[in-house]
């Protein structure tokens, strides 16, 4: 991969005519020298802006990274303020296939600032950015830019648990260091508004073409698919529970999520009547038998003298059934209260166990640390007289096996949590059955009371008997029809759940097939090379905070560490700058050893920060010149004296453009 800057042009239309600047770049080491406050950072920010990377300049929500001289008014060489009408920046770039493109973006004017005009082969096309689709649509700028560099922009995890494109603006701080905030740490100005999880890691994985990036994406894709299956599973489970509720039944045999032992044949609809649990199929058989009896009885001719007695018996039977159901209903409500109490107690017990588990895990972490290894604080020996003592009230002369270690306690607590979670699930299942049973009882009581009132208010006893038989028949037929509908739906659900469970098992097995370590052999070699390159450079730059050989690149973060800890306050401010120099130039140099995604371009705006001594800065210049001999482009914008730069690079290949402050600021009147 390679990106070369060929020519930068800034134009400002004013009421006094045309102003601007042209800067022709070159391969290898290129130095842009001018005094402070003369427009050096304006030129550097123009490069970022025309490449659509202004969000990576650490400016927060500021849209345009430019001073008033490009947006409102500029001051000419006579000190007169001149109003700006419009302005734009244009950049010519080239890739490794020598494909040339001219990028033009408006700073101020009538044209949309989120459109970049690109001219290739004498044909100009508009490309949009900072809108949906800018990374994957035909006229999305980041999509064009990625194709220009032969980048395949990956999808990476975001904070919402989904995948987002790894925007080029997130990669930008790895090869462009802005003057004001960029030198505070490695990749200091990396944008966070894209919501990418661990963006710095994702940047290094992509630029070094680490296999871990693909593995991470595959893991994330599988995770998202598994989560999607779990969501579909819950929806289907809830739908079946709703169907079961309509027939006063309970769905059983469906776990909360897919699992290896899932068996769709165990799914059924059941009804609990007191202590008896029956399948809805058995209930249907009983109903069909009752329907047959009704058909036989309905053909019997009733004698008039028995009708009155039969009506009285019907009313009496219904009243008895109401009393019986109301007694059972009260018992059921009392039992539900007990179950709710049991659920509440179990929840509290689990909460306490989880707290205990967390405490023991903390103890395990502390005990596994070797920070106290050299301290005599756990030897149970008096520091004054040297006498041995026990640090608890137990008789430690007994066998140690009587005491549980924190590890054994942790295992025991985890087993207890599992046991109580099983009790909790069982109690919730019982409560669900009892809720359905209560609903059914209340419905029966209401229906019976309605029937009694209807019968009492009807003077035609013969009609009462016939209506009672007909109502019972219709009710039973409707129940049978509802049960048939429920089981038809149940068959469809079983097929869907079988399919989802098979998909889940395949994805779970695929996820297990990934290696435990994310780094491949080549990844490991690249990180070792990065480590060696960094140490070599720090020794060159006169790094003095500690022995540079103690630095190692973390396999977890891919950043410099010392004895496993991030390098932060262990270094002086100037050595912190040296680490940034060394790390970013080492990333650049890895491209000479491996095929990676680094653009082989590095831009430093005012690299001599924190008064880094001239010897160190001189070594940086020489290192940059040497590193770019085999290809690539390194651009330094600096305010160092030209004589110092030339002296430091004597005998090295480089190009320099220097502007004298006596000629005025960089944005100057252009003679047309």
């Amino acid at each position: 991969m390679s990106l070369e800057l060929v020519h930068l042009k800034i134009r400002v239309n004013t009421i006094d005519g045309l102003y601007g600047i042209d800067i022709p770049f070159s391969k290898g080491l290129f130095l842009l020298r001018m005094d402070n406050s003369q427009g050096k950072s304006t030129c550097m920010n123009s490069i970022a802006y025309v490449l659509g990377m202004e969000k990576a300049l650490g400016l927060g929500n500021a849209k345009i990274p430019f001073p008033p001289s490009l947006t409102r008014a500029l001051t000419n060489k006579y000190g007169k303020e001149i109003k700006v009408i419009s302005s734009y920046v244009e950049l010519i770039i080239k890739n490794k296939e020598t494909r040339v493109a001219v990028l033009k973006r408006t700073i101020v004017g009538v044209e949309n600032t989120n459109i970049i005009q690109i001219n290739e082969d004498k044909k100009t096309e508009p490309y949009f950015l900072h809108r949906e689709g800018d990374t994957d649509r035909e006229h999305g700028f980041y999509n064009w830019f990625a194709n220009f560099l032969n980048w395949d922009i990956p999808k990476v995890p975001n904070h919402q648990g989904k995948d987002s494109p790894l925007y080029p603006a997130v990669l930008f701080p790895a090869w462009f260091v802005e003057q004001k905030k960029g030198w505070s740490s490695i990749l200091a100005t990396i944008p966070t508004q894209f919501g990418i999880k661990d963006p710095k890691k994702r940047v290094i994985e992509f630029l070094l073409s680490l296999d871990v990036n693909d593995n991470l994406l595959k893991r994330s894709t599988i995770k998202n698919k598994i989560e999607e299956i779990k969501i579909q599973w819950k929806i289907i489970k809830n739908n079946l529970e709703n169907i079961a509720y309509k027939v006063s039944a309970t769905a059983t045999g469906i776990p909360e999520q897919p699992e290896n032992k899932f068996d769709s044949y165990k799914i059924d609809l059941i009804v609990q009547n007191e202590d008896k649990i029956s399948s809805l199929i058995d209930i249907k058989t009983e109903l069909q038998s009752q329907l047959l009896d009704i058909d036989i009885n309905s053909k019997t001719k009733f004698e008039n003298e028995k009708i009155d007695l039969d009506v009285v018996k019907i009313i009496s039977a219904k009243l008895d059934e109401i009393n019986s159901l109301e007694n059972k209903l009260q018992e059921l409500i009392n039992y539900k209260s007990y179950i709710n109490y049991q659920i509440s107690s179990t929840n509290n017990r689990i909460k306490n166990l989880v707290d205990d588990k967390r405490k023991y895990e903390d103890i395990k972490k502390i005990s596994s640390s070797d920070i106290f290894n050299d301290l005599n604080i756990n030897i149970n020996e008096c520091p004054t007289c040297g006498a041995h003592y026990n640090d608890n009230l137990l008789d430690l002369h007994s066998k140690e096996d009587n005491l549980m270690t924190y590890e054994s306690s942790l295992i025991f607590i985890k087993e207890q949590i599992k046991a109580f979670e099983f009790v909790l699930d069982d109690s919730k299942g019982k409560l669900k059955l009892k809720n359905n049973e209560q609903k059914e009882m209340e419905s029966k009581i209401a229906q019976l009371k309605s029937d009694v009132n209807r019968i009492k208010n009807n003077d035609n006893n013969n009609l009462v008997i016939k209506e009672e038989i007909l109502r019972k028949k219709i009710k039973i037929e409707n129940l049978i029809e509802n049960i048939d509908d429920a089981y038809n739906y149940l068959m469809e659900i079983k097929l869907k759940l079988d399919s989802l469970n098979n998909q889940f098992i395949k994805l779970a097995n695929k996820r297990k097939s990934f290696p435990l370590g994310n780094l491949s052999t080549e990844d490991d070699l690249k990180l070792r090379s990065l480590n060696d390159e960094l140490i070599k450079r720090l020794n060159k730059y006169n790094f003095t905070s500690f022995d540079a050989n103690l630095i190692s690149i973390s396999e977890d973060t891919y950043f410099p560490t010392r004895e496993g800890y991030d390098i932060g306050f262990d270094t002086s401010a100037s050595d912190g700058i040296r680490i940034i120099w060394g790390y970013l130039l080492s990333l650049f140099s890895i491209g000479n050893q491996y095929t990676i995604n680094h653009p082989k371009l590095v831009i430093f705006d005012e690299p001599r920060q924190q008064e880094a001594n001239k010897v160190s800065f001189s070594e940086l210049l020489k290192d940059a010149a040497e590193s770019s001999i085999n290809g690539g482009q390194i651009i330094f914008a600096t305010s160092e004296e030209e004589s110092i730069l030339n002296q430091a690079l004597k005998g090295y290949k480089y190009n320099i453009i220097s502007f004298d402050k006596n000629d005025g600021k960089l944005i100057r009147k252009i003679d047309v």
Side-chain angles (χ1 to χ4, degrees):
M1 307 299 173
S2 69
L3 172 65
E4 180 187 343
L5 307 189
V6 179
H7 189 278
L8 176 69
K9 179 168 76 174
I10 302 174
R11 290 293 182 266
V12 184
N13 291 309
T14 73
I15 58 175
D16 186 40
L18 190 63
Y19 282 70
I21 188 68
D22 285 86
I23 299 176
F25 297 105
S26 61
K27 291 182 179 180
L29 176 61
F30 176 86
L31 305 177
L32 176 63
R33 198 220 73 79
M34 65 186 74
D35 291 326
N36 286 323
S37 303
Q38 298 300 304
K40 170 170 47 64
S41 291
T42 298
C43 287
M44 295 298 99
N45 288 350
S46 295
I47 294 171
Y49 181 74
V50 76
L51 290 173
M53 307 294 179
E54 67 272 18
K55 293 184 182 295
L57 294 177
L59 301 177
N61 293 324
K63 186 175 182 181
I64 300 179
F66 297 117
S69 60
L70 296 184
T71 58
R72 295 194 302 273
L74 59 79
T75 304
N76 66 13
K77 64 180 180 179
Y78 305 110
K80 183 180 178 182
E81 192 173 85
I82 301 168
K83 184 178 179 181
V84 171
I85 299 172
S86 65
S87 58
Y88 68 88
V89 57
E90 186 177 284
L91 181 67
I92 301 175
I93 60 176
K94 184 191 297 184
N95 67 7
K96 68 176 182 179
E97 286 91 16
T98 67
R99 177 181 163 192
V100 177
V102 182
L103 281 59
K104 180 181 177 182
R105 186 178 180 188
T106 297
I107 299 173
V108 173
V110 296
E111 295 182 4
N112 190 333
T113 57
N114 284 334
I115 295 292
I116 297 178
Q117 300 287 341
I118 300 177
N119 183 291
E120 286 191 90
D121 299 324
K122 299 181 180 180
K123 181 181 178 182
T124 301
E125 295 274 358
Y127 291 83
F128 67 89
L129 73 160
H130 304 326
R131 282 184 284 173
E132 184 180 359
D134 55 6
T135 60
D136 54 15
R137 294 183 185 171
E138 183 180 358
H139 281 274
F141 173 73
Y142 293 134
N143 180 51
W144 175 89
F145 186 70
N147 290 333
F148 188 80
L149 291 181
N150 290 322
W151 278 352
D152 184 11
I153 295 180
K155 297 276 189 177
V156 294
N158 61 27
H159 289 294
Q160 285 72 46
K162 299 180 180 179
D163 294 332
S164 295
L166 184 60
Y167 285 86
V170 179
L171 305 168
F172 193 62
W175 44 281
F176 184 105
V177 183
E178 184 268 343
Q179 177 184 357
K180 294 181 180 178
K181 297 182 180 179
W183 294 106
S184 58
S185 64
I186 298 173
L187 307 187
T189 60
I190 197 164
T192 58
Q193 56 264 49
F194 299 110
I196 294 173
K197 192 175 180 182
D198 298 326
K200 291 186 177 182
K201 287 185 65 174
R202 304 293 86 84
V203 167
I204 303 305
E205 288 167 356
F206 177 76
L207 291 180
L208 291 181
S209 301
L210 298 182
D211 296 330
V212 65
N213 191 51
D214 291 334
N215 290 340
L216 182 73
L217 179 59
K218 290 175 182 177
R219 287 179 189 271
S220 177
T221 301
I222 289 175
K223 178 185 175 184
N224 290 339
K225 288 181 178 179
I226 287 176
E227 290 303 318
E228 186 178 339
I229 287 173
K230 288 180 179 179
I231 291 172
Q232 293 180 35
W233 187 279
K234 287 182 179 179
I235 291 173
I236 292 174
K237 186 174 184 290
N238 289 336
N239 289 342
L240 181 59
E241 288 175 348
N242 291 334
I243 294 294
Y245 185 79
K246 291 178 181 179
V247 290
S248 301
T250 302
T252 61
I254 305 182
E256 290 299 319
Q257 63 182 33
E259 57 183 31
N260 288 330
K261 296 180 180 180
F262 171 70
D263 184 357
S264 62
Y265 288 102
K266 293 182 179 179
I267 302 175
D268 198 3
L269 301 175
I270 63 171
V271 175
Q272 181 169 2
N273 186 6
E274 297 182 12
D275 294 331
K276 182 182 178 183
I277 296 177
S278 305
S279 170
L280 210 56
I281 287 292
D282 296 332
I283 300 295
K284 177 186 173 182
T285 302
E286 292 177 8
L287 290 172
Q288 288 173 331
S289 177
Q290 292 176 24
L291 190 61
L292 185 61
D293 291 340
I294 290 174
D295 288 338
I296 294 171
N297 293 333
S298 64
K299 296 176 183 178
T300 303
K301 291 183 179 180
F302 298 101
E303 297 179 6
N304 291 333
E305 60 269 18
K306 293 184 179 180
I307 290 177
D308 292 341
L309 182 60
D310 288 340
V311 170
V312 172
K313 287 181 178 178
I314 289 172
I315 293 174
S316 177
K318 288 183 180 293
L319 290 174
D320 289 343
E321 189 174 358
I322 288 171
N323 290 332
S324 175
L325 286 173
E326 286 179 340
N327 291 332
K328 290 177 181 177
L329 180 61
Q330 187 57 51
E331 291 176 1
L332 190 147
I333 291 172
N334 293 337
Y335 185 65
K336 276 179 60 183
S337 298
Y338 166 73
I339 295 176
N340 281 318
Y341 171 76
Q342 191 176 36
I343 289 173
S344 176
S345 300
T346 306
N347 274 323
N348 289 333
R349 180 58 178 155
I350 290 174
K351 181 179 178 296
N352 292 333
L353 285 168
V354 170
D355 289 339
D356 290 343
K357 173 176 167 284
R358 189 179 298 112
K359 291 174 184 176
Y360 275 99
E361 286 173 341
D362 291 343
I363 293 173
K364 185 176 181 180
K365 289 176 184 177
I366 293 171
S367 67
S368 62
S369 173
D370 58 1
I371 190 172
F372 301 117
N373 284 356
D374 297 329
L375 302 177
N376 295 324
I377 61 175
N378 294 319
I379 58 175
N380 294 350
E381 186 176 288
C382 176
T384 303
C385 65
H388 184 77
Y389 66 89
N390 292 328
D391 61 356
N392 57 58
L393 300 178
L394 297 174
D395 181 10
L396 296 184
H397 294 292
S398 60
K399 292 184 178 180
E400 293 183 0
D401 290 345
N402 293 334
L403 295 175
M404 293 180 69
T405 65
Y406 60 84
E407 292 176 336
S408 300
S409 298
L410 187 58
I411 293 172
F412 175 76
I413 290 171
K414 289 179 179 179
E415 290 174 348
Q416 286 286 294
I417 291 174
K418 287 182 180 179
F420 278 101
E421 284 177 343
F422 176 80
V423 171
L424 182 63
D425 290 340
D426 184 62
S427 297
K428 287 180 177 179
K430 289 179 180 177
L431 183 62
K432 187 181 292 185
L433 287 170
K434 292 301 176 183
N435 283 332
N436 285 340
E437 190 176 349
Q438 179 180 349
K439 168 181 164 288
E440 181 68 14
M441 278 189 187
E442 290 171 343
S443 176
K444 282 183 179 179
I445 291 171
Q447 183 62 49
L448 286 167
K449 287 181 178 180
S450 175
D451 290 345
V452 169
N453 289 332
R454 176 178 49 78
I455 293 170
K456 285 181 177 180
N457 294 329
N458 196 327
D459 295 331
N460 190 338
N461 289 339
N462 189 39
L463 184 61
V464 167
I465 297 296
K466 291 181 178 180
E467 279 186 359
E468 187 67 20
I469 293 173
L470 184 60
R471 285 176 181 276
K472 188 173 182 181
K473 179 179 180 182
I474 292 173
K475 181 182 177 181
I476 292 174
E477 287 175 341
N478 288 338
L479 284 173
I480 291 173
E481 184 178 354
N482 290 338
I483 291 172
D484 287 338
D485 290 342
Y487 270 97
N488 288 335
Y489 187 75
L490 178 61
M491 293 304 296
E492 294 177 10
I493 279 180
K494 286 183 176 182
L495 294 175
K496 291 179 181 178
L497 291 178
D498 275 331
S499 176
L500 287 176
N501 198 70
N502 289 334
Q503 293 177 46
F504 175 84
I505 292 173
K506 287 179 181 178
L507 289 170
N509 290 335
K510 190 173 182 181
R511 184 168 58 180
K512 289 179 182 178
S513 68
F514 286 111
L516 295 177
N518 290 324
L519 296 176
S520 67
T521 302
E522 186 166 298
D523 290 346
D524 187 57
L525 292 174
K526 288 176 183 176
L527 292 180
R528 288 185 187 181
S529 295
L530 180 62
N531 191 81
D532 294 342
E533 292 280 344
L534 175 60
I535 292 173
K536 179 181 70 176
R537 284 182 165 81
L538 291 181
N539 286 323
K540 273 187 185 180
Y541 303 158
N542 196 29
F543 180 88
T544 57
S545 291
F546 51 83
D547 185 357
N549 292 302
L550 294 176
I551 291 178
S552 61
I553 298 297
S554 167
E555 292 187 358
D556 181 39
T557 65
Y558 318 125
F559 284 91
T561 61
R562 178 187 178 185
E563 297 177 346
Y565 295 94
D566 291 338
I567 299 175
F569 298 106
D570 291 345
T571 64
S572 63
S574 58
D575 272 347
I577 300 300
R578 293 182 180 96
I579 288 176
I580 298 174
W581 292 348
Y583 187 80
L584 297 185
L585 287 184
S586 295
L587 287 176
F588 176 94
S589 297
I590 296 297
N592 295 326
Q593 306 172 39
Y594 299 93
T595 300
I596 61 176
N597 287 321
H598 196 285
K600 292 291 288 180
L601 169 67
V602 169
I603 302 172
F604 287 171
D605 186 2
E606 202 63 78
R608 191 185 171 206
Q609 297 279 318
Q610 301 295 338
E611 296 301 320
N613 65 50
K614 292 183 179 180
V615 174
S616 297
F617 185 63
S618 176
E619 289 300 326
L620 170 65
L621 293 170
K622 294 174 184 177
D623 182 29
E626 291 174 350
S627 299
S628 57
I629 288 176
N630 296 322
Q633 187 178 39
I634 298 177
I635 299 173
F636 289 169
T638 178
S639 58
E640 289 294 318
E641 293 294 332
E642 185 174 359
S643 59
I644 294 176
L645 298 173
N646 289 330
Q647 179 64 33
L649 288 167
K650 188 176 182 179
Y652 289 86
K653 186 177 179 180
Y654 68 100
N655 286 287
I656 183 170
I657 291 182
S658 181
F659 292 88
D660 193 331
K661 68 177 180 179
N662 295 324
D663 295 331
K665 292 195 174 183
L666 196 65
I667 305 300
R668 302 167 182 177
K669 184 74 177 286
I670 295 175
D671 296 326
V672 181

